[in-house]
């Protein structure tokens, strides 16, 4: 199908989330010689999640660069290459593995601009898969985005849609600072329709994915689907939930959350991280600081159970935020 | 200045190791990049970062090399391609590999990245990851291990199962050479040879510069782990005194030259302290400036 848009024509195409990231990579690699991709098995293997499949043939091994299993060295090399004028995109296989690079991320990438009195610039993009739901147990399934969102000097993005999967990558490459993109591993097969022509998207604002006047569900990344599904269930019972996708975890766009809260006076935050010390806790605290008077009910949080994510499916399902848990939480708020 | 409470925090003196920075930096060009440690003011001075800008940084002043944001451990000077100032042991090595990668990918042939680190870094995973990556991708990194025999207070034999550091580099296929780090002429000669080879091959090379710090690890260190005799023995090989004796013997300098040099240095230091004293502190209103390049709430 095709549609005419103001300012030029653009065909609409249907892509998976995986294809959208790949389209973003291809666009960036074609448009800018300074861009290159490096990470474990991004070359002939095509990336652990098949995101970079085919790019090696198109762009060659200098720009689709396989790395050894040395997260600290290749993330640090990304920092150095960014200092040297390149626009590196580093793929870290999963967020659990990224902990091996925390020194480079927290001590170097996040600090160099500030610590050098503004002389240095680290325009680095780091992508990684995050989250559970695939029976991979506790060393492949955690959601540690909040650890990165905690750190001043870096930006943290969580694309939940096909359009954001592609557009956030391009926006991140336009950014002068280190940007971390957390791709929820269950989203790669997700399909959606986007303009054929890749463009950067705004990475400053949250987005209202569903409008409703009774309760605000604040979420991001892999939990958006559970929230939208729960909102459908609640609608059948006459409860209209508004779903706010935070999109950017640092810096947080609380204005959008508070505008929604001004309408619904009820907020539940759905976050696949553990509740203790979670991003949901941060959003909740900011609601208290800036929107306490708007609340008719205490802010609720739907998070992962405080356990290392288990392997067995029934246990993993019980540990992660689900459509049912979100809906049940809302029902209790609106009794 | 530290005792007078003008300089605060940690301060890691370079006294005893001067031949390493001076010798190596003689062999580099302005196009080369430098990555160093928290004991980097020697390298910064040898690179030509003005003493006044360093002193002002240590005073925490806005006219310091990092506007007072970094202090003694985080000297940066982009115009001189001096990329810092890394206080996590081993943390600068991956960055150096990346700077060399950028040169390679941009087709800037003939440049190298000089990466200084201490013997303590050799025990870190980042050392091994970085040497492997630089060797695997054949990147123009000159690895410079400043071996002063102690990782803070732990002697190298209590830290490294294989204390022959050059062997470790060679295990990654990187040619390595131990050098007398108290002899500035030997350091310069070795660094020139190494730099020529790195520029010609584009591949990494490793120098182990055997040196000694005469002062404690930092101003916070009571130096209880070494004997006065050991320090005294090493002081017999003070790199500055050694050079002076050599130059006198060759009749290249005389008493007048030495006293002229000493008064030049004293004047430069006085000037540096004056500039640092006179410099302004950055206004507190600018506390959050430069966390990001583009405003992010």
């Amino acid at each position: 199908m095709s549609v005419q848009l103001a300012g030029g024509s653009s065909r609409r195409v249907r892509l998976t989330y995986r294809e959208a990231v790949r389209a973003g990579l291809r666009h960036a690699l074609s448009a800018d010689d300074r861009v290159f991709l490096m990470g474990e098995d991004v070359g002939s293997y095509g990336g652990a999640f098949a995101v970079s499949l085919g790019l090696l043939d198109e762009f060659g091994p200098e720009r689709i660069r396989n790395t050894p299993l040395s997260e600290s060295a290749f993330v640090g090399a990304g920092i150095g290459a960014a200092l040297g004028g390149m626009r590196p995109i580093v793929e870290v296989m999963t967020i659990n593995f990224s902990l091996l690079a925390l020194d480079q991320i927290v001590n170097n990438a996040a600090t160099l601009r500030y610590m050098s009195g503004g002389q240095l610039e680290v325009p680095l993009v780091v992508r990684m898969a995050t989250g559970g739901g695939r029976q991979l147990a506790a060393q492949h399934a955690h959601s540690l985005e909040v650890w990165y969102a905690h750190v001043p000097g870096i930006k943290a993005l969580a694309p939940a849609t096909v359009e954001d999967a592609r557009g956030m990558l391009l926006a991140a490459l336009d950014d002068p600072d280190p940007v971390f993109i957390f791709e929820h591993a269950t989203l790669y097969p997700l399909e959606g329709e986007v303009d054929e022509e890749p463009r950067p998207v705004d990475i400053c604002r949250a987005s209202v994915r569903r409008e409703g006047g009774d309760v605000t569900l604040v979420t991001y990344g892999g939990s958006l689907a559970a929230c939208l599904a729960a909102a459908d269930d609640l609608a059948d019972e006459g409860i209209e939930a508004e779903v706010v996708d935070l999109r950017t975890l640092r810096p947080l766009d609380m204005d959008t959350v508070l505008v929604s809260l001004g309408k619904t006076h009820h907020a539940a935050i759905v976050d696949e991280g553990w509740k203790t010390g979670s991003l949901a806790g941060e959003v909740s605290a900011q609601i208290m600081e800036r929107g306490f008077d708007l609340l008719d009910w205490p802010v609720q949080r739907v998070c992962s159970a405080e356990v290392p994510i288990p392997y067995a499916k029934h246990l993993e399902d019980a540990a992660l935020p689900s459509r049912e848990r979100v809906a049940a939480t809302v029902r209790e708020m609106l009794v | 200045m530290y005792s007078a409470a003008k300089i605060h925090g940690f301060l890691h003196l370079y006294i005893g190791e001067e031949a390493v920075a001076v010798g190596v930096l003689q062999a580099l060009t302005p196009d080369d990049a430098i990555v160093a440690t928290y004991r980097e003011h020697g390298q910064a001075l040898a690179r030509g970062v003005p003493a006044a800008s360093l002193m002002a940084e240590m005073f925490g002043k806005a006219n310091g090399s990092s506007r007072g944001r970094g202090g003694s451990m985080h000297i940066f000077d982009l115009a001189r391609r001096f990329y810092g100032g890394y206080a996590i042991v081993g943390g600068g090595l991956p960055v150096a590999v990346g700077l060399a990668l950028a040169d390679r990918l941009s087709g800037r042939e003939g440049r190298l990245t000089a990466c200084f680190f201490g013997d303590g870094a050799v025990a870190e995973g980042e050392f091994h990851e970085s040497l492997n990556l630089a060797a695997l991708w054949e990147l123009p990194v000159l690895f410079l291990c400043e071996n002063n025999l102690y990782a803070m207070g732990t002697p190298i034999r209590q830290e490294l199962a294989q204390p022959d550091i050059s062997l470790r580099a060679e295990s990654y296929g990187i040619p390595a050479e131990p050098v007398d780090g108290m002899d500035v002429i030997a350091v310069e000669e070795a660094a020139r040879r190494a730099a020529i080879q790195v520029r010609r091959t584009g591949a990494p090379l490793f120098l182990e510069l055997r040196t000694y710090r005469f002062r404690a690890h930092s101003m916070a260190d009571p130096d209880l782990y070494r004997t006065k005799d050991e320090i005294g023995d090493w002081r017999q090989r003070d790199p500055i005194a050694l050079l002076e004796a050599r130059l006198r013997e060759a009749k290249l300098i005389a008493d007048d030259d030495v006293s002229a040099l000493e008064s030049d240095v004293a004047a430069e230091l006085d000037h540096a302290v004056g500039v640092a004293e006179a410099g302004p502190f950055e206004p507190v209103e600018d506390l959050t400036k430069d966390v990001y390049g583009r405003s992010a709430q």
Side-chain angles (χ1 to χ4, degrees), chain A residues 16-316:
Chain A
T16 63
Y17 187 99
R18 173 185 288 110
E19 290 165 342
V21 180
R22 189 185 304 142
L25 289 169
R26 182 180 285 121
H27 182 81
L29 286 156
S30 305
D32 188 343
D33 288 343
R34 299 172 305 171
V35 173
F36 67 101
L37 173 71
M38 66 174 158
E40 291 153 351
D41 266 323
V42 296
S44 49
Y45 191 104
F49 295 90
V51 167
S52 56
L53 200 63
L55 296 181
L56 176 65
D57 291 340
E58 267 177 80
F59 298 101
E62 287 284 289
R63 300 183 70 201
I64 306 297
R65 189 168 273 269
N66 258 356
T67 65
L69 278 68
S70 306
E71 284 81 359
S72 198
F74 70 73
V75 172
I79 295 167
L83 290 174
M86 303 300 288
R87 290 290 179 277
I89 303 170
V90 176
E91 176 175 309
V92 179
M93 214 177 275
T94 74
I95 200 165
N96 279 85
F97 304 175
S98 77
L99 305 188
L100 291 162
L102 267 184
D103 168 47
Q104 290 300 319
I105 295 167
V106 178
N107 288 318
N108 288 348
T111 62
L112 287 177
R113 178 189 291 278
Y114 191 85
M115 207 162 64
S116 68
Q119 293 181 76
L120 300 193
E121 192 160 278
V122 186
L124 167 72
V125 177
V126 181
R127 304 173 32 245
M128 63 186 82
T130 185
R134 299 181 308 132
Q135 284 197 261
L136 295 177
Q139 293 182 351
H140 282 77
H142 288 152
S143 291
L144 307 171
E145 298 84 62
V146 65
W147 292 10
Y148 293 96
H150 182 62
V151 182
I154 63 181
K155 294 181 182 173
L157 313 180
T161 67
V162 172
E163 185 185 29
D164 277 353
R166 187 180 66 181
M168 279 185 166
L169 176 66
L170 299 179
L173 282 164
D174 282 345
D175 200 276
D177 292 304
V179 180
F180 287 73
I181 305 179
F182 303 101
E183 299 164 0
H184 197 284
T186 60
L187 293 178
Y188 289 116
L190 175 79
E191 287 191 14
E193 200 170 82
V194 290
D195 283 351
E196 188 176 38
E197 178 64 21
R199 282 188 199 85
V201 294
D202 177 14
I203 53 169
C204 298
R205 310 295 296 179
S207 177
V208 176
R209 299 292 185 194
R210 183 191 204 280
E211 291 192 13
D214 296 326
V215 61
T216 301
L217 297 173
V218 184
T219 190
Y220 69 91
S223 299
L224 175 62
C227 289
L228 291 172
D232 284 346
D233 295 345
L234 292 164
D236 292 341
E237 302 162 28
I239 299 169
E240 290 302 328
E242 180 143 301
V243 179
V244 176
D245 173 7
L246 289 170
R247 301 180 65 244
T248 298
L249 310 183
R250 186 184 189 100
L252 278 172
D253 169 22
M254 286 302 294
D255 291 348
T256 299
V257 174
L258 291 165
V259 166
S260 177
L261 200 57
K263 202 163 64 170
T264 65
H265 307 290
H266 293 77
I269 305 150
V270 183
D271 173 3
E272 203 178 302
W274 295 296
K275 189 182 278 186
T276 305
S278 60
L279 197 78
E282 176 61 27
V283 172
S284 172
Q286 292 203 35
I287 290 173
M288 302 307 170
E289 287 167 348
R290 295 179 55 193
F292 185 74
D293 292 341
L294 301 173
L295 292 171
D296 283 350
W297 193 266
V299 173
Q300 299 295 302
R301 291 183 285 163
V302 181
C303 296
S304 282
E306 306 266 335
V307 296
I309 300 301
Y311 161 71
K313 184 166 191 322
H314 67 294
L315 293 177
E316 184 177 38

Side-chain angles (χ1 to χ4, degrees), chain B residues 10-184:
Chain B
F10 288 143
L11 178 62
H12 306 84
L13 297 177
Y14 200 61
I15 299 166
E17 304 186 20
E18 297 92 339
V20 172
V22 172
V24 169
L25 271 293
Q26 291 294 316
L28 303 185
T29 74
D31 281 342
D32 296 330
I34 294 140
V35 170
T37 69
Y38 50 87
R39 195 187 303 284
E40 86 286 33
H41 56 268
Q43 281 87 358
L45 286 168
R47 183 59 168 183
V49 180
S53 146
L54 293 183
M55 192 64 79
E57 182 61 28
M58 295 187 202
F59 277 47
K61 296 292 184 77
N63 57 339
S65 46
S66 301
R67 294 219 317 268
R69 301 282 185 79
S72 74
M73 296 188 283
H74 305 295
I75 308 290
F76 297 88
D77 188 334
L78 188 57
R80 292 177 177 82
R81 303 205 78 215
F82 194 84
Y83 285 94
Y86 295 81
I88 307 296
V89 173
L93 279 91
V95 175
V97 172
L99 281 161
L101 176 61
D103 285 337
R104 163 66 44 78
L105 292 173
S106 318
R108 296 186 292 247
E109 299 296 330
R111 276 191 182 185
L112 64 79
T113 299
C115 179
F116 290 89
F117 51 91
D119 47 294
V122 173
E124 294 281 1
E126 288 183 320
F127 170 86
H128 297 275
E129 291 190 17
S130 299
L131 262 65
N132 181 55
L133 202 58
L136 188 70
W137 290 352
E138 292 189 26
L139 297 175
V141 183
L142 179 54
F143 290 104
L144 299 153
C145 179
E146 207 162 44
N147 180 3
N148 66 15
L149 302 176
Y150 289 87
M152 207 163 93
T154 301
I156 193 165
R157 289 198 173 277
Q158 286 178 28
E159 175 148 39
L160 300 179
Q162 172 50 270
D164 185 340
I165 291 173
S166 293
L167 269 185
R168 292 166 164 258
E170 283 169 0
S171 76
Y172 292 102
I174 301 178
E177 184 187 340
V179 181
D180 178 359
M182 306 307 266
D183 178 349
V184 69

